[in-house]
Amino acid sequence: MAWLRVLVEFLNVCFFFYMLGYSVFLFMSAIGGAVAMHRKAKTRTFRRKMYLYHDDNYIPVSILVPAYNEEVTILDTVHSLRQMDYPEYEIIVVDDGSSDDTAKRLIEEFHLIKAERPIQRRIPTKKALSVWESVGEGARITLICKENGGKADALNMGINASRYSHFVSIDADSVLQPTAVRRMMEAFLEDKRVVACGGMIQIANQATIVNGEVKEQYFPKKIIVLLQMLEYCRSFLGSRILFDFWGGNMIISGACGMFKKELVLRCGGYDSDIIGEDMELVVKLHHFCRSNRIDYKIVHEQEAICWTQVPESLNDLRKQRRRWHTGMIQSILLHKDIIFNPEYGLVSFFSMTYYLLMECLGPVIEIVGAINILLAIWLEMIDYEFMITYFFLFIFFSAVVTMITFFSRMYITSSRATEVKLSQVAMVIAFSFIECLGFRQLISIFRTSAFFNYRKNKNEWGKITRKEHNRGVTNE
């Protein structure tokens, strides 16, 4: 058994330094993110007064909404888009062969008329079956009904049909705050190197939507939703803001992102052969720009708020996280030559390495580490005092990071839609600790399952249950 004891000891040391490094990174990202947001808020106020005040300075955009069996939420999404505080834009909904009444509800609600409009397919896609357009005042709405080809294929169809130089992609169950498109475009106007900008994702499960705008957000009643809210805060207000310092973000959520169309076309658009098309496009942009020596930046804009629904059952959460992780595996394998490649600088040695070790392989490392600790206990190799002290320090450290990012979220989104009570703040503090004791480990198991079913499920989309948004009237 001597070899087993040596192996367990070696793995314990590796796991200790892995968790220590991960904790330090999370803490640095949370602090760095909070400082960056505060500085950015000050400079942004000055710049808006100087050259972002007039609508004439803003570039027209196309908003793409891929939809498949989204009759429950599609009307709220399009209504929210028509309320955008933006001078000129168009809305393109691509119905990817839905078997429900997604297209019918849009046609009836917005009085769309069938149009004979040719679409130049600069990116190969499945065949368009019909095109419908709105008439009258307001933002132009175009509905394209096409053969089923997947979300990436639907987005590529939207890019082909778009009229403007920049496009925004959002999910069909998402609701944008009226200023979201304006805030993302400001990133492009402030720095000509920006080729892509992601938004800030917030949870809409307890939100009240009036005329397409989120007016109130009630605190999550379901524990699983609350835990995901804390997780989203840590993700979007931590590492993603930190990576902005060198333009090294590798993911822009498919729920909300803005891109320069011509560069995306040159890259070949979204890859319809994988399910992680949102991450793959961003990694491909890094790959393309570095290979062609294009000076570029990929950033996130925390003031561009997008509300989206999250799973309310463990089964839906399991399918979602397995799908996300499968997409990450596909993206990293497809662009593996970026890893440890000096030509890609910090994008390779920091961003890609982080996503490989901490995000992609992280769940497997955590599970192996937990099993190794049990083996060490069985072999009587554990220093219980050290283990318990380290365990509680890790929980405390993680909880502090979560709380920092949550209160940072309150700081940047202070409005009636995001107000919280003192009792709810106490609940957030409590669940910041609880999240480390079961939920995070459960998510690791869900994500690890992507490795075992990778080839079987690599082109399979799990169906997530949607519910109609709350359209209750606010007490104003």
Side-chain angles (χ1 to χ4, degrees):
M1 298 289 287
W3 66 270
L4 183 59
R5 297 177 70 88
V6 171
L7 177 62
V8 169
E9 183 67 26
F10 174 74
L11 291 177
N12 273 339
V13 172
C14 292
F15 186 62
F16 170 79
F17 282 107
Y18 171 84
M19 296 305 293
L20 179 64
Y22 187 52
S23 299
V24 170
F25 172 79
L26 287 179
F27 186 74
M28 288 175 56
S29 64
I31 297 297
V35 171
M37 283 187 291
H38 180 66
R39 289 179 176 176
K40 193 171 184 179
K42 287 186 174 181
T43 57
R44 176 62 59 81
T45 300
F46 173 76
R47 288 176 179 173
R48 283 177 188 158
K49 289 180 179 179
M50 289 297 294
Y51 62 91
L52 298 176
Y53 182 77
H54 299 288
D55 286 347
D56 292 343
N57 293 331
Y58 287 83
I59 303 169
V61 298
S62 303
I63 303 177
L64 313 183
V65 188
Y68 178 73
N69 290 346
E70 295 285 358
E71 64 177 0
V72 175
T73 58
I74 191 65
L75 294 186
D76 284 326
T77 299
V78 177
H79 275 299
S80 78
L81 296 177
R82 299 199 84 188
Q83 303 298 318
M84 287 292 102
D85 175 22
Y86 201 80
E88 186 175 352
Y89 63 98
E90 63 174 347
I91 303 166
I92 301 176
V93 181
V94 183
D95 182 1
D96 191 47
S98 297
S99 57
D100 66 358
D101 289 334
T102 298
K104 181 180 178 182
R105 295 196 70 183
L106 285 168
I107 292 168
E108 292 177 351
E109 179 75 11
F110 299 104
H111 309 291
L112 304 183
I113 297 175
K114 195 169 185 179
E116 296 297 329
R117 176 185 166 186
I119 298 174
Q120 182 184 8
R121 290 196 290 178
R122 296 182 64 182
I123 307 172
T125 63
K126 295 284 187 177
K127 183 181 178 182
L129 302 176
S130 61
V131 178
W132 303 75
E133 294 184 340
S134 63
V135 293
E137 298 181 354
R140 180 200 298 268
I141 300 175
T142 300
L143 168 64
I144 303 172
C145 299
K146 63 178 286 292
E147 295 176 349
N148 180 260
K151 183 179 177 183
D153 193 72
L155 284 166
N156 287 335
M157 176 65 80
I159 294 171
N160 287 335
S162 62
R163 291 178 166 88
Y164 300 129
S165 62
H166 292 67
F167 71 88
V168 174
S169 64
I170 73 167
D171 286 342
D173 66 326
S174 298
V175 174
L176 295 182
Q177 282 292 88
T179 58
V181 175
R182 185 180 289 267
R183 296 293 173 259
M184 284 189 287
M185 179 54 76
E186 286 171 358
F188 290 83
L189 297 176
E190 290 173 0
D191 191 336
K192 298 301 182 182
R193 296 174 297 168
V194 173
V195 299
C197 178
M200 167 74 177
I201 309 301
Q202 300 218 43
I203 294 173
N205 293 55
Q206 299 296 134
T208 298
I209 297 174
V210 179
N211 294 326
E213 180 182 354
V214 173
K215 292 293 187 180
E216 290 188 35
Q217 184 199 20
Y218 301 102
F219 209 68
K221 295 179 181 178
K222 294 188 176 182
I223 292 176
I224 190 173
V225 176
L226 173 58
L227 292 172
Q228 288 177 86
M229 180 187 74
L230 297 177
E231 186 187 27
Y232 275 47
C233 288
R234 189 171 58 245
S235 174
F236 283 92
L237 295 176
S239 60
R240 300 195 186 190
I241 294 179
L242 182 66
F243 286 172
D244 275 356
F245 282 106
W246 60 88
N249 272 294
M250 307 302 284
I251 294 179
I252 287 179
S253 171
C256 181
M258 181 180 287
F259 301 85
K260 279 188 177 179
K261 185 174 74 172
E262 189 57 37
L263 193 59
V264 172
L265 287 169
R266 290 171 65 188
C267 289
Y270 289 91
D271 191 332
S272 56
D273 291 329
I274 67 173
I275 63 174
E277 76 290 326
D278 47 0
M279 178 177 182
E280 195 280 329
L281 176 62
V282 176
V283 178
K284 184 159 55 180
L285 286 170
H286 281 291
H287 209 158
F288 181 85
C289 290
R290 292 275 179 166
S291 299
N292 291 277
R293 303 189 183 281
I294 298 172
D295 193 13
Y296 76 104
K297 285 183 70 176
I298 295 174
V299 300
H300 271 82
E301 176 48 65
Q302 60 269 16
E303 292 185 38
I305 298 174
C306 171
W307 301 85
T308 190
Q309 292 188 14
V310 297
E312 295 190 356
S313 71
L314 281 177
N315 187 47
D316 280 348
L317 183 61
R318 175 186 61 82
K319 290 188 291 185
Q320 182 198 64
R321 296 313 169 89
R322 184 184 68 183
R323 189 178 74 245
W324 285 2
H325 213 71
T326 301
M328 181 180 294
I329 295 169
Q330 292 174 330
S331 298
I332 290 175
L333 287 177
L334 197 60
H335 299 278
K336 57 183 178 294
D337 55 319
I338 294 179
I339 302 171
F340 305 129
N341 188 334
E343 293 184 6
Y344 292 86
L346 288 175
V347 170
S348 170
F349 289 100
F350 204 103
S351 300
M352 200 66 163
T353 302
Y354 166 80
Y355 276 101
L356 174 64
L357 297 179
M358 302 297 187
E359 295 292 343
C360 185
L361 298 179
V364 177
I365 294 172
E366 290 176 18
I367 291 174
V368 170
I371 295 172
N372 199 64
I373 289 173
L374 294 176
L375 279 174
I377 293 173
W378 178 60
L379 294 170
E380 299 181 344
M381 297 173 59
I382 285 290
D383 181 340
Y384 287 99
E385 184 178 351
F386 174 80
M387 186 186 74
I388 293 171
T389 302
Y390 178 75
F391 181 67
F392 280 105
L393 279 175
F394 175 75
I395 291 176
F396 176 77
F397 213 58
S398 299
V400 168
V401 169
T402 301
M403 285 185 280
I404 289 173
T405 54
F406 176 79
F407 291 119
S408 296
R409 165 186 172 269
M410 292 178 61
Y411 170 73
I412 65 169
T413 60
S414 54
S415 67
R416 182 176 177 182
T418 55
E419 286 180 358
V420 292
K421 300 176 182 177
L422 186 61
S423 60
Q424 294 167 341
V425 171
M427 187 180 296
V428 166
I429 294 173
F431 275 92
S432 295
F433 289 92
I434 294 172
E435 189 224 2
C436 304
L437 300 171
F439 181 74
R440 190 173 299 183
Q441 292 74 22
L442 186 64
I443 294 297
S444 293
I445 293 172
F446 291 163
R447 294 167 69 190
T448 301
S449 68
F451 288 95
F452 297 102
N453 298 299
Y454 169 68
R455 295 199 176 276
K456 178 182 176 182
N457 300 307
K458 68 177 184 177
N459 292 315
E460 180 180 299
W461 280 89
K463 180 62 179 173
I464 304 299
T465 304
R466 304 294 188 196
K467 67 175 186 178
E468 193 168 357
H469 290 294
N470 177 18
R471 295 192 184 92
V473 179
T474 59
N475 298 320
E476 295 185 338

